[in-house]
């Protein structure tokens, strides 16, 4: 048995899925690998995510040490999100998933993206 965030898990893979699983977290991490982003940038770049869900996912990833949130004391408030060292460490796995999906599902970029 393993314990993480005061919860018991039978396998470390369960913990990994708890940290980065779900519909949005991997996409958010993928985009944050490019550099710091503000909330509205993330909202624009992650298709279909609601403000509420994006806020929730960012809070969870901040709690889990994957991202850091920086609030600048200005009006209007400026907030930036960026990957931590732990967050950066998942990127090679995301890249492998990216390549795996392309190879296994015979994916091609649409003409408008080329």
């Amino acid at each position: 048995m393993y314990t993480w965030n005061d919860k018991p898990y039978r396998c470390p893979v369960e913990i990994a899925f708890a940290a980065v699983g779900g519909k949005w977290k991997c996409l958010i991490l993928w985009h944050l690998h490019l550099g710091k982003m503000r909330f509205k940038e993330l909202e624009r770049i992650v298709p279909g995510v609601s403000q509420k869900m994006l806020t929730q996912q960012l809070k969870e990833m901040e709690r889990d040490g994957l991202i850091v949130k920086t609030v600048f004391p200005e009006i209007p408030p400026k907030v930036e999100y960026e990957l931590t060292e732990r967050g950066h460490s998942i990127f090679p796995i995301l890249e492998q998933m990216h390549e795996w999906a392309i190879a296994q599902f015979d994916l091609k970029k649409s003409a408008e993206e080329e």
Side-chain angles (χ1 to χ4, degrees), residues 26-91:
C26 284
L27 285 174
I28 294 166
L29 292 168
W30 179 266
H31 291 298
L32 282 176
H33 183 70
L34 301 172
K36 297 176 186 177
M37 290 190 175
R38 295 181 71 178
F39 185 87
K40 285 294 183 185
E41 290 176 290
L42 286 167
E43 193 175 32
R44 260 192 315 276
I45 204 164
V46 179
V49 69
S50 68
Q51 273 191 341
K52 179 182 176 184
M53 185 54 69
L54 181 57
T55 299
Q56 178 183 330
Q57 300 290 276
L58 290 168
K59 283 181 182 179
E60 288 176 12
M61 289 190 295
E62 185 179 13
R63 176 200 68 204
D64 296 338
L66 297 169
I67 65 170
V68 64
K69 173 183 174 179
T70 305
V71 180
F72 296 90
E74 55 188 60
I75 297 177
K78 178 182 174 185
V79 178
E80 289 182 338
Y81 297 91
E82 64 182 309
L83 295 180
T84 61
E85 191 173 319
R86 180 182 288 171
H88 278 289
S89 72
I90 190 75
F91 192 73

